[in-house]
Amino acid sequence: MAPWEGLTTEDGSVATGERALSFISKSFCEAQKIAESDVKLMKSRVQSLIDLRATIDKEWESLMKSPSFNEATKGLDSALQTFLVSSKGSTHLPIFSVNPSKPSTATTMKKVEVGGEKSMVVRRRSSSQQGWRKLCTRVNESNWEPLQRVKRTVHKSLVDIETTTAATTTKTPADFLQNVKKNLDDVVPPNLPQLFEKFSWPAEPFLDHLGCKKDDTNMGDYLSSCKHKVDQLSSSLALKGKELGVVGKALAGDLFSKGLINLDLRIANVVQSTRYCNKGGVWGGDVTPAKQATEDTPQNIAIFTTASLPWMTGTAVNPLFRAAYLAKSGKKNVTLLVPWLCKKDQEQVYPNRMTFESPEEQETFVRGWLENRVGFKSDFKIAFYPGKFSTEKRSILAAGDISEFIPDQEADVAVLEEPEHLTWYYHGKRWTDKFQHVVGVVHTNYLEYVKREKNGKLQAFLLKYVNNWVVRIYCTKVLRLSAATQVLPKSLVCNVHGVSPKFLDIGKQLASESEEGRSRFSKGAYYLGKMIWGKGYRELVDLLAQNKEVLDNTPLDVFGTGEDSQAVQAEAQAHGLRMNFHEGRDHADVLLHGYKVFINPSLSDVVCTTTAEALAMGKIVVCADHPSNDFFRPFPNCLMYKTPDEFVEKVKLALVSDPVPLSPELQHLLSWEAATERFINCAELDSLPPRGTKGTGGQKKMLSREATNRQTMTLSLSLPKIGNIVDRGLAFTHYFLSGIEAARWAAGALPGTMHIDEQHRKDLGLPASAAKSFFRW
């Protein structure tokens, strides 16, 4: 098979023999023109050397005839004659020595104008022109080895130039074509990026000086870094481009005329025997080492979340279950990173002003709570990063570069629970540069919360674009729990949350009691959630107040605590509603088992965890017909309403109806086993390339195909994607702005969150802070 058969063109079509010959023929014509121009340049250079030699001869003769030179050389003849007689028979000239104690024989230097150039000549008190000529003749006829070596080198260089020029002018395009075909039959044409990898090693010290550190496990980043640094140098040399172009063209013509162009074809054999296989081009392609981690190597997954137990919120509970079930198979090394708060913040955030003396104490509490819910001992690590509670945002903000809490050798996959929340004020290394794959899980509809505040529409407008910005530059995949969330780049909708097995067990127990004839539910309706207006309390109070008479002021038990507790209770009392308020409880508490109807009118939730837990326990749920509740539509116990009138209708129906027992299929749909399967599939964790490479999901099969076809190397040069260039620019802009305290303060960040403070360092056992450079990009 001809070497060009099987190659593809840029538009994807297969190259035929006719098209390939046409391309080669055209290339030969252009090469011949370049060769002719280079030969002319060589001839002009040779002629310039001849002219220079003639000029030097004329200037030398003029110098010899000058009166000043005759006077300067008087007396030198006798001294040199004596010196040559004494060194007769020697194969080398001894070194001159000057005795400073004898001024009569000391030498002096004087600048003399010779042919427009300044040169240094030796001046003595007495010399003669005849003695100088005899000296020159004697030296020229001597057998001094250095002088003979120079003569042979000059003579050989002139002969080579003349021979090469004659050979180049007589070579025809047919001879060159035959030579190229002969080489193509023996050697596969090389891939330019692979040649770059092979021959970049001589420049490694220079590239290291520029900051391009070579990493054998990540050649793609090395090539990108080299390209970036070389581009910077190229821009600084733009003013000398014409001069460099002339010199480069002359050198290329010299190599071409001597036949050294065959070297790059022979190098293909060396490239094929190397340990790397290129996946793309020089600028954006990754280079995959042949020695990869096997499929049995556990995948390292780091889960970063914005809250921790005992704060009973979705971002504290759901990531905890995700870590436990991902690690359950034993094929993944999972680390859960949660915020550590100082005691002052702990008292403000955790229920009943609960506090912990150390991270180890809080970890013990978290693991005990988890094992009580899942029924098995979890095998994953829990780490803490510094966090501070923002009373204005009613959430925890990270302090410092939290990605540094994961070692580089374990940076395979990062899962950012609430990616926009974690990266609003993040100032550190870009997540996608540190980790092979970054998955964001969107928990919260922040736009809906912001709209409820002062100047809410303006804030929501700005926040929408900020969220798009940070998610685009820091995530490679985004999972939205429901369509109620903001549409973000690289995102898809999939509910990857489940419920604790404990809730499913409660549902099965109550169902068995119903079959035995015992009443499962003895109480009416209730609501459970953190008591802030944005968690559905605004909608709940308005609906009950609007339909107070129609519902006969149905009593409702409310469980929850929060910043708006007093305001909610005061407004309920003002409307005369029969809402009974209780302290917040775990939804699995025995006191809540007897309630039959769970009312949740919230429109700000993404996927309400308490709704899923109520359905798992076999209760009837009344909720709004909203994208956040789309996942619950298949459940017969889920009653949805669109209008206030339908709300009244569904509540009355729920209070007089008996729940339908859940089928095994619906029970599995709510389980964390099913949620973990959905997460792995949607996040494409099992289709990632082996460790040491970077890429999106689905590239594992591509790598296997490339390993099979490694012998077929195509001559290609990939250009950088515009999207990647834009993302790099956006990432640098965010890094730059997040490094300015004034900009952080204007955007709402807490003071002192750019870096880790001393108190957190002491609590977490971190070394004392050192001076940090602003530009760490």
Side-chain angles (χ1 to χ4, degrees):
M1 183 178 70
W4 55 77
E5 292 182 9
L7 300 181
T8 57
T9 60
E10 293 181 355
D11 57 0
S13 60
V14 179
T16 61
E18 182 178 356
R19 295 180 62 184
L21 288 175
S22 175
F23 171 77
I24 293 175
S25 177
K26 181 179 178 181
S27 301
F28 290 157
C29 293
E30 296 177 355
Q32 182 66 18
K33 293 179 181 179
I34 295 175
E36 292 176 357
S37 62
D38 292 339
V39 169
K40 292 180 181 179
L41 180 61
M42 290 182 60
K43 289 182 178 180
S44 63
R45 288 190 173 185
V46 172
Q47 185 62 38
S48 64
L49 290 175
I50 296 175
D51 296 340
L52 178 62
R53 183 178 61 183
T55 302
I56 293 175
D57 292 340
K58 292 180 181 180
E59 293 296 338
W60 180 258
E61 293 179 0
S62 176
L63 177 63
M64 297 292 291
K65 296 178 180 179
S66 62
S68 60
F69 183 80
N70 293 336
E71 295 177 1
T73 56
K74 290 180 180 180
L76 182 63
D77 177 60
S78 58
L80 290 179
Q81 288 286 355
T82 304
F83 167 74
L84 290 175
V85 170
S86 63
S87 60
K88 186 175 182 180
S90 176
T91 58
H92 63 279
L93 292 176
I95 300 176
F96 284 98
S97 60
V98 178
N99 188 354
S101 62
K102 297 180 179 181
S104 61
T105 60
T107 60
T108 60
M109 309 299 292
K110 181 180 181 181
K111 294 184 179 179
V112 181
E113 291 288 335
V114 180
E117 297 291 334
K118 291 184 178 181
S119 61
M120 303 299 296
V121 298
V122 179
R123 181 179 181 90
R124 285 186 175 272
R125 292 187 176 88
S126 63
S127 60
S128 65
Q129 181 178 0
Q130 182 179 3
W132 178 257
R133 289 182 178 178
K134 289 182 179 180
L135 173 63
C136 294
T137 303
R138 185 73 61 84
V139 172
N140 188 37
E141 294 177 354
S142 66
N143 294 326
W144 189 30
E145 181 59 26
L147 181 61
Q148 297 300 326
R149 190 182 303 121
V150 171
K151 288 182 178 180
R152 291 194 298 268
T153 302
V154 173
H155 178 72
K156 184 176 182 301
S157 299
L158 293 176
V159 172
D160 289 344
I161 292 176
E162 294 176 359
T163 304
T164 302
T165 304
T168 304
T169 55
T170 57
K171 183 176 291 187
T172 63
D175 296 335
F176 181 75
L177 174 62
Q178 187 66 26
N179 190 16
V180 171
K181 286 184 176 181
K182 180 179 178 181
N183 283 278
L184 288 177
D185 290 338
D186 298 333
V187 183
V188 180
N191 194 314
L192 293 181
Q194 291 176 326
L195 288 177
F196 177 83
E197 156 61 17
K198 183 63 181 175
F199 290 100
S200 63
W201 68 266
E204 283 181 9
F206 173 68
L207 295 175
D208 289 343
H209 179 71
L210 294 179
C212 303
K213 303 295 183 181
K214 182 174 180 181
D215 185 359
D216 292 337
T217 63
N218 194 354
M219 189 57 63
D221 280 355
Y222 177 64
L223 295 179
S224 299
S225 177
C226 290
K227 184 259 177 185
H228 177 67
K229 297 298 183 180
V230 171
D231 284 347
Q232 292 180 346
L233 290 178
S234 298
S235 61
S236 66
L237 296 175
L239 297 178
K240 296 188 178 182
K242 294 183 179 181
E243 299 177 6
L244 295 175
V246 172
V247 176
K249 185 177 180 181
L251 293 176
D254 187 37
L255 293 175
F256 183 88
S257 63
K258 292 183 179 181
L260 295 181
I261 193 172
N262 297 331
L263 178 61
D264 62 346
L265 299 176
R266 297 189 181 96
I267 291 172
N269 286 330
V270 179
V271 175
Q272 288 180 349
S273 62
T274 59
R275 303 296 292 175
Y276 292 95
C277 177
N278 185 267
K279 299 195 300 181
V282 173
W283 311 132
D286 296 337
V287 179
T288 306
K291 184 178 180 181
Q292 297 286 2
T294 63
E295 295 184 1
D296 296 334
T297 303
Q299 191 178 54
N300 295 305
I301 300 178
I303 302 176
F304 295 81
T305 188
T306 57
S308 175
L309 295 178
W311 187 8
M312 298 300 296
T313 184
T315 53
V317 174
N318 291 309
L320 184 61
F321 282 114
R322 194 186 327 280
Y325 280 89
L326 282 173
K328 186 178 180 181
S329 64
K331 297 181 180 180
K332 302 182 186 301
N333 295 329
V334 181
T335 302
L336 176 65
L337 291 99
V338 297
W340 167 259
L341 302 177
C342 63
K343 279 194 174 182
K344 180 181 178 182
D345 288 342
Q346 291 181 31
E347 294 176 354
Q348 192 172 2
V349 175
Y350 298 151
N352 302 322
R353 303 180 66 86
M354 183 184 299
T355 60
F356 301 96
E357 295 294 333
S358 65
E360 292 76 14
E361 182 181 353
Q362 186 171 1
E363 179 180 353
T364 302
F365 173 85
V366 171
R367 290 191 182 277
W369 184 93
L370 177 64
E371 293 176 7
N372 186 39
R373 297 305 187 278
V374 299
F376 60 86
K377 189 174 181 62
S378 55
D379 185 19
F380 67 92
K381 295 185 292 185
I382 296 180
F384 292 83
Y385 67 83
K388 294 185 177 183
F389 181 71
S390 172
T391 55
E392 180 183 357
K393 293 180 173 55
R394 298 173 180 176
S395 59
I396 299 174
L397 301 178
D401 183 0
I402 61 177
S403 69
E404 294 180 350
F405 287 84
I406 296 296
D408 291 341
Q409 62 270 21
E410 298 179 8
D412 293 346
V413 179
V415 180
L416 305 183
E417 309 281 353
E418 294 195 317
E420 65 275 62
H421 185 157
L422 286 170
T423 56
W424 282 331
Y425 311 112
Y426 175 74
H427 181 69
K429 186 175 183 179
R430 188 180 176 188
W431 290 91
T432 51
D433 289 342
K434 180 180 179 68
F435 291 89
Q436 179 188 16
H437 193 54
V438 182
V439 181
V441 181
V442 180
H443 290 247
T444 308
N445 188 359
Y446 285 106
L447 299 184
E448 187 65 29
Y449 283 111
V450 170
K451 289 178 182 178
R452 302 167 185 262
E453 300 178 359
K454 185 180 180 180
N455 300 322
K457 291 185 177 180
L458 176 60
Q459 292 188 55
F461 175 79
L462 297 176
L463 182 61
K464 176 182 177 181
Y465 290 98
V466 172
N467 290 344
N468 281 329
W469 179 11
V470 295
V471 168
R472 172 176 177 172
I473 61 179
Y474 289 129
C475 296
T476 54
K477 195 79 173 180
V478 179
L479 305 181
R480 299 160 52 208
L481 299 180
S482 72
T485 58
Q486 174 185 344
V487 179
L488 295 168
K490 312 171 187 176
S491 67
L492 57 87
V493 176
C494 181
N495 180 19
V496 293
H497 286 175
V499 298
S500 168
K502 191 170 185 178
F503 294 102
L504 293 172
D505 294 338
I506 293 173
K508 295 175 182 178
Q509 179 184 353
L510 294 176
S512 63
E513 293 177 359
S514 177
E515 293 176 357
E516 295 175 358
R518 291 183 293 174
S519 176
R520 291 187 291 169
F521 305 106
S522 59
K523 302 178 183 179
Y526 75 106
Y527 179 66
L528 181 144
K530 185 178 180 180
M531 198 170 294
I532 58 176
W533 287 115
K535 283 291 186 180
Y537 285 91
R538 179 76 274 164
E539 294 87 347
L540 181 63
V541 172
D542 291 344
L543 285 171
L544 293 178
Q546 183 180 353
N547 301 283
K548 176 181 177 181
E549 297 180 357
V550 181
L551 290 173
D552 298 329
N553 201 9
T554 300
L556 179 71
D557 291 341
V558 178
F559 297 87
T561 55
E563 294 85 349
D564 297 331
S565 297
Q566 296 181 357
V568 173
Q569 296 180 28
E571 187 163 344
Q573 293 176 0
H575 288 288
L577 301 177
R578 297 173 62 186
M579 297 177 66
N580 304 314
F581 295 93
H582 306 275
E583 291 290 331
R585 291 181 178 274
D586 191 328
H587 207 173
D589 196 294
V590 178
L591 294 177
L592 302 178
H593 291 180
Y595 289 95
K596 183 174 67 172
V597 180
F598 179 72
I599 299 177
N600 183 12
S602 176
L603 299 177
S604 61
D605 287 326
V606 175
V607 172
C608 187
T609 303
T610 54
T611 298
E613 293 170 350
L615 290 173
M617 290 187 290
K619 303 178 186 296
I620 298 177
V621 174
V622 178
C623 61
D625 189 349
H626 188 261
S628 62
N629 296 319
D630 286 342
F631 181 78
F632 307 120
R633 290 186 186 278
F635 293 83
N637 291 333
C638 184
L639 305 180
M640 296 186 179
Y641 65 89
K642 295 182 179 179
T643 63
D645 293 338
E646 288 187 5
F647 171 76
V648 174
E649 178 185 346
K650 300 298 182 182
V651 170
K652 289 183 176 181
L653 178 62
L655 291 173
V656 299
S657 302
D658 290 329
V660 178
L662 288 180
S663 64
E665 292 78 13
L666 292 179
Q667 290 179 357
H668 178 72
L669 187 63
L670 289 173
S671 66
W672 265 105
E673 287 84 359
T676 304
E677 293 175 2
R678 294 193 297 267
F679 175 77
I680 293 175
N681 293 334
C682 293
E684 300 177 342
L685 298 186
D686 287 342
S687 58
L688 293 177
R691 187 186 308 173
T693 62
K694 289 198 175 186
T696 58
Q699 291 183 339
K700 191 175 182 181
K701 296 181 180 178
M702 294 172 59
L703 290 173
S704 62
R705 289 198 302 268
E706 290 178 1
T708 304
N709 301 327
R710 181 174 295 182
Q711 300 300 325
T712 304
M713 293 183 294
T714 59
L715 187 62
S716 62
L717 182 62
S718 300
L719 295 177
K721 295 181 179 179
I722 298 299
N724 294 339
I725 298 176
V726 174
D727 289 349
R728 283 284 177 181
L730 292 174
F732 178 79
T733 303
H734 182 266
Y735 177 83
F736 178 80
L737 294 176
S738 63
I740 303 175
E741 283 291 356
R744 295 173 63 88
W745 174 84
L750 291 175
T753 55
M754 187 191 305
H755 304 300
I756 305 174
D757 59 26
E758 296 302 327
Q759 182 61 43
H760 278 102
R761 290 184 178 275
K762 180 180 179 181
D763 293 344
L764 298 175
L766 302 176
S769 60
K772 296 186 178 181
S773 174
F774 179 82
F775 293 101
R776 294 185 301 161
W777 183 254

